[in-house]
C-alpha cells in the first residue's frame, strides 16, 4: 500500500488464455501500466504455447512470460522482475540526485566570483565555470576545455610545479585537499 492507502503492487501477474480476448486484455493492461507511469513488473502466465505470443507480450512491455506447464519458473521470474524494478528505481533516484547536485553546482558557481574547474581524468575533459570568463577575460563557450587548454594558460613560472603536483596527486590517489604545494593561487 502506497501513500494515501492506494494499492502499490510490486508485480502484476496476468493469466492469458483464449487467444483473441487474452491478447486484447493483456495489451490493455500493459498500456494502463506503462501509460500510468508505473514501474511494476508485468508477468504473463499462459497455457498457450507459442513463441510468437511470448515475443509479442515482451515487445509490448511485459517483463516475462511463463507457461502454465512451467510454473516452477514463476518464483524466480517474480524475484528477478522485482529486483530489476528495484535496480531501475535506484538508478532513477541516483540520476535525480546527480541532477540536483549538478543544479546546485551551477547555482554555486554563478554566485561566486571564483574561477572553478573540474578535470575528468577518464575523458581528459575540463569543465570551466563562468568565473573564468569574468576573471581572465576569455570566453569558455568557444574553447574546447581540455587539460591542454588549462596547461597553456598557466604562468610559465608556475607550470612545472602545478603540473607535477597534479600528477603526484593523481599517482598517489590524493585529493585536491591534499595537493600540497600546487594548491596556492597561480598567476595567469
Amino acid at each position: 500500500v502506497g501513500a494515501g492507502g492506494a494499492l502499490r503492487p510490486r508485480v502484476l501477474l496476468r493469466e492469458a488464455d483464449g487467444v483473441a480476448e487474452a491478447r486484447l486484455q493483456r495489451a490493455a493492461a500493459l498500456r494502463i501500466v506503462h501509460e500510468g507511469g508505473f514501474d511494476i513488473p508485468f508477468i504473463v502466465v499462459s497455457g498457450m504455447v507459442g513463441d510468437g505470443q511470448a515475443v509479442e507480450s515482451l515487445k509490448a512491455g511485459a517483463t516475462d512470460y511463463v507457461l502454465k506447464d512451467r510454473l516452477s519458473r514463476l518464483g524466480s521470474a517474480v524475484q528477478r522482475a522485482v529486483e530489476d524494478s528495484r535496480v531501475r528505481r535506484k538508478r532513477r533516484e541516483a540520476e535525480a540526485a546527480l541532477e540536483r547536485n549538478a543544479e546546485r553546482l551551477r547555482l554555486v558557481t554563478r554566485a561566486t566570483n571564483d574561477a572553478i574547474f573540474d578535470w575528468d581524468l577518464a575523458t581528459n575533459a575540463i569543465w570551466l565555470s563562468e568565473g573564468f570568463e569574468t576573471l581572465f577575460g576569455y570566453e569558455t563557450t568557444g574553447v574546447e576545455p581540455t587539460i591542454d587548454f588549462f596547461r597553456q594558460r598557466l604562468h610559465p613560472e608556475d607550470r612545472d610545479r602545478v603540473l607535477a603536483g597534479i600528477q603526484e596527486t593523481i599517482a598517489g590517489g590524493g585529493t585536491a585537499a591534499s595537493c600540497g604545494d600546487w594548491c596556492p593561487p597561480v598567476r595567469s
Side-chain angles (χ1 to χ4, degrees):
V1 178
L7 181 62
R8 299 286 304 177
R10 293 184 65 192
V11 66
L12 290 177
L13 300 176
R14 177 73 176 110
E15 185 177 6
D17 286 326
V19 179
E21 185 180 340
R23 279 186 183 162
L24 289 173
Q25 290 175 356
R26 183 173 57 244
L30 278 166
R31 199 171 29 261
I32 289 168
V33 168
H34 292 294
E35 288 176 2
F38 303 107
D39 185 9
I40 302 169
F42 191 106
I43 299 174
V44 176
V45 178
S46 177
M48 310 289 277
V49 178
D51 292 338
Q53 282 202 355
V55 169
E56 183 182 308
S57 294
L58 294 171
K59 282 183 177 180
T63 307
D64 207 340
Y65 192 95
V66 177
L67 295 173
K68 284 185 178 179
D69 65 348
R70 297 196 181 115
L71 285 178
S72 61
R73 206 176 77 68
L74 184 59
S76 62
V78 169
Q79 286 176 337
R80 186 181 64 253
V82 169
E83 177 61 16
D84 289 351
S85 178
R86 186 191 68 75
V87 168
R88 282 191 307 276
R89 186 184 75 251
K90 290 290 187 188
R91 182 179 304 124
R92 280 192 312 273
E93 290 169 359
E95 288 170 354
L98 282 173
E99 185 55 39
R100 285 190 306 273
N101 285 341
E103 179 61 19
R104 204 173 289 131
L105 176 63
R106 279 189 290 276
L107 293 172
V108 167
T109 58
R110 283 188 181 145
T112 183
N113 290 325
D114 295 333
I116 301 169
F117 78 96
D118 178 50
W119 181 15
D120 183 337
L121 295 174
T123 64
N124 199 34
I126 291 182
W127 171 83
L128 303 170
S129 71
E130 293 174 12
F132 271 83
E133 244 176 86
T134 306
L135 291 172
F136 302 123
Y138 49 78
E139 291 187 30
T140 57
T141 53
V143 178
E144 180 154 345
T146 64
I147 192 60
D148 292 329
F149 171 84
F150 176 74
R151 184 182 295 123
Q152 292 166 2
R153 281 151 183 83
L154 287 172
H155 192 278
E157 292 178 28
D158 294 326
R159 187 173 296 128
D160 290 342
R161 173 182 56 82
V162 171
L163 295 175
I166 291 171
Q167 291 304 319
E168 187 177 309
T169 300
I170 293 168
T175 65
S178 63
C179 64
D181 200 27
W182 68 271
C183 283
V186 295
R187 297 166 277 231
S188 59

